[in-house]
Amino acid sequence: MPDWFTYEWHMEGDPANFAVDTSYLSKAPHPNKPVLMHIRCEMQDQGELSARGRRHIDRVEKKCIKELKALYVGYIQDASRRVMFFYTDRPERSRALEEIADKERFLYCAVGCTDDPEWNTYLGLLYPDAAKFQTESNRENIELYRRKGDCVTAARRITFHMYFPLENHVVQFAEEARLAGFAIGDVEFSPELDEPYGIALHRIGTLEKPCLDAYTTDAIYLAEKYLGKLLYWNCPMIPKNSPLR
């Protein structure tokens, strides 16, 4: 059964929505599906997708799922296009995809096909790493703050709790994090964890999602160099009627 996960990231520098069928992870790379096909759908004038354009993309997607003998593993969509990805057993199956693209009159559709036996597109582009997974967790937590009456556009100190397997990793990481713009807080220790040595990082910012995603992404990628991870973040509530907003 499909198991779709969606998250916000970026495509060629622009904000984009990613969707991936995570049920294929246990099979990746699939030995019998070494060929990657993709179809890019956009407006004829390459402008922002209209409501009608989105409906046509949905129809193209349904045709691909129904007519292609391929695994539909995910898509990326920004304001002006959607790119859908499929794995198949033979490159000649892309002809069916080309026929679907040629029959579409409202949208411009372009098709590509390449060998990808290691499933690099699925594993490296579509399937979320820790930083990408965190952006969805950020969205959920921001919504919790919002429902409790927080003014998410108000700046406040946000604390990121980073944990590592070795104590000396904390020292190395802290210096690099400082140079990246984080303020260094208290050292933490949680012996029950696999990565017991922690440190708190601080940034002044809002709980608007692009801002928070940038902070967690920077912290996670820095920590991964030292086998560390972001355990969680927290911050004070700022009510909408607060004089601090």
Side-chain angles (χ1 to χ4, degrees), residues 1-236:
M1 291 291 293
D3 185 9
W4 288 89
F5 180 79
T6 60
Y7 60 96
E8 296 176 0
W9 199 243
H10 43 78
M11 176 168 58
E12 298 177 355
D14 296 323
N17 293 316
F18 282 59
V20 58
D21 187 346
T22 61
S23 68
Y24 291 117
L25 181 63
S26 63
K27 306 179 184 70
H30 198 299
N32 298 323
K33 305 289 183 182
V35 178
L36 175 71
M37 302 186 298
H38 70 266
I39 180 169
R40 186 181 81 251
C41 300
E42 57 192 9
M43 302 292 287
Q44 295 281 356
D45 62 0
Q46 296 184 326
E48 188 167 315
L49 285 171
S50 64
R52 184 181 177 188
R54 292 174 187 273
R55 289 195 298 270
H56 275 258
I57 287 178
D58 290 340
R59 293 192 189 106
V60 170
E61 181 183 56
K62 289 178 181 177
K63 286 182 180 179
C64 290
I65 293 171
K66 181 179 179 180
E67 299 177 17
L68 298 179
K69 295 180 179 179
L71 304 180
Y72 183 30
V73 297
Y75 67 81
I76 307 171
Q77 180 168 315
D78 63 12
S80 62
R81 59 195 159 165
R82 183 187 300 176
V83 186
M84 293 169 275
F85 299 90
F86 305 83
Y87 281 96
T88 186
D89 53 350
R90 296 194 299 274
E92 58 267 26
R93 293 199 184 278
S94 64
R95 293 172 191 160
L97 192 59
E98 291 168 354
E99 290 179 4
I100 292 173
D102 290 342
K103 290 178 181 178
E104 172 57 42
R105 294 290 179 261
F106 185 74
L107 300 169
Y108 169 73
C109 296
V111 171
C113 182
T114 186
D115 289 335
D116 187 11
E118 299 301 319
W119 277 42
N120 290 320
T121 295
Y122 178 81
L123 295 171
L125 176 64
L126 295 173
Y127 196 86
D129 59 13
K132 294 175 182 178
F133 264 121
Q134 183 63 42
T135 64
E136 179 61 14
S137 177
N138 289 345
R139 184 192 64 77
E140 294 171 355
N141 289 332
I142 291 168
E143 186 56 32
L144 284 175
Y145 274 82
R146 195 191 308 274
R147 288 204 300 266
K148 292 178 180 178
D150 187 88
C151 178
V152 298
T153 59
R156 82 287 304 274
R157 186 177 74 169
I158 307 172
T159 301
F160 306 90
H161 300 268
M162 316 301 298
Y163 276 77
F164 301 83
L166 298 174
E167 189 171 10
N168 67 317
H169 288 174
V170 175
V171 177
Q172 296 170 308
F173 166 78
E175 176 59 18
E176 193 163 349
R178 184 186 66 79
L179 294 174
F182 290 94
I184 308 304
D186 294 334
V187 171
E188 302 172 348
F189 182 64
S190 299
E192 72 279 5
L193 299 178
D194 291 335
E195 295 88 5
Y197 301 98
I199 192 166
L201 303 183
H202 306 297
R203 290 294 292 258
I204 301 298
T206 72
L207 290 189
E208 294 173 292
K209 192 169 181 298
C211 175
L212 188 59
D213 285 349
Y215 293 156
T216 58
T217 296
D218 287 347
I220 288 169
Y221 285 156
L222 284 174
E224 285 180 347
K225 296 168 62 176
Y226 302 99
L227 306 179
K229 65 181 183 182
L230 168 64
L231 196 61
Y232 67 98
W233 60 263
N234 57 8
C235 66

